[in-house]
Amino acid sequence: MRRLLHRAAAASLALALAIPALADDDKAKHESRIVVTGRARAETPPDFASVEIGIEAKGATPAAALDGASNVVRALIALSAGFGVGESDIGTTAVTLTQGTREVRQPDGSITEKPDGYRAANSLRVRLADMGKLGELMRKALDSGANRIEGVAFGLKDPNAAEATVQVAAMKDAMAQAGRLAEAAGVKLGPPLSIQTTPQGGGMPMAMAAAPMRSKRPGVPVPLAAGTIETSAEVSASFAILP
């Protein structure tokens, strides 16, 4: 009976020693991997332009100021429609009405604020697919009574498609890096074990802000350069190393 107990104890000890050894082997196999980060970027010409155009009007009464701004905005909407801009590509961005003031110097030399009618502002964001006509649209907007151009921006109608393209290129870059490292280390590269993307996004190539402007030179289009939109992507991937 004692011999049997001794044999059982010895077998249990051997098994206990073998389990950590197997666990260490599995851990080593699990950690046998190559981890890389693939990167890619692309520059894509924009396929639409947008501009914010507005009017700031003055009036002796709130109604007079607001009506003055409204009349110009109606003309801007009609002008945009004449350039082939659909209703979905025209949107109001701001409508404000405030009391105007002016500085008045008192006999003692101090300066005070006095009421000076009312000021109304109204702005539209217009998106134009035919970017070649944007400068002409801006010029004619000024001729129609607009006196504010807040900014110009260019963009992509489907930015997700551009991002997907660079993500694929980033993954290919990661695979190429892993392949080179495996060859240099004299090991055989296995399949990817994990893939993780890092959101990068894309930027507008151009943004322009301008103070209230009005020109006496009729019919001169505003010169604009669309540039390109840069889209980038990063992919972190780990690859197995085959035995």
Side-chain angles (χ1 to χ4, degrees), residues 48-51 76-92 124-130 133 137 157:
F48 78 85
S50 65
V51 57
L76 292 176
I77 294 174
L79 173 67
S80 301
F83 276 79
V85 180
E87 293 183 1
S88 61
D89 290 326
I90 303 174
T92 299
L124 295 173
R125 170 64 64 177
V126 180
R127 191 168 76 167
L128 193 65
D130 190 350
K133 294 182 178 180
L137 172 65
K157 294 178 181 177

Side-chain angles (χ1 to χ4, degrees), residues 81-155:
F83 276 79
V85 180
E87 293 183 1
S88 61
D89 290 326
I90 303 174
T92 299
T93 57
V95 177
T96 61
L97 177 65
T98 59
Q99 185 176 37
T101 60
R102 60 186 177 89
E103 294 182 349
V104 177
R105 184 177 295 276
Q106 301 299 318
D108 61 359
S110 62
I111 297 177
T112 59
E113 298 284 336
K114 296 292 185 180
D116 185 28
Y118 293 84
R119 291 179 173 84
N122 197 328
S123 299
L124 295 173
R125 170 64 64 177
V126 180
R127 191 168 76 167
L128 193 65
D130 190 350
M131 293 180 291
K133 294 182 178 180
L134 180 60
E136 183 183 358
L137 172 65
M138 293 169 63
R139 173 68 262 174
K140 290 189 176 181
L142 297 180
D143 295 337
S144 298
N147 57 16
R148 297 196 69 88
I149 296 180
E150 302 294 344
V152 174
F154 299 90

Side-chain angles (χ1 to χ4, degrees), residues 20 46 63-64 66 109 114 134 139 216 234 238 240:
L66 194 59
K114 296 292 185 180
L134 180 60
R139 173 68 262 174
K216 295 182 179 180
E234 284 189 0
S238 64

Side-chain angles (χ1 to χ4, degrees), residues 7-26:
R7 290 178 181 177
S12 298
L13 179 60
L15 181 60
L17 293 174
I19 290 176
L22 291 175
D24 290 341
D25 289 343
D26 291 341

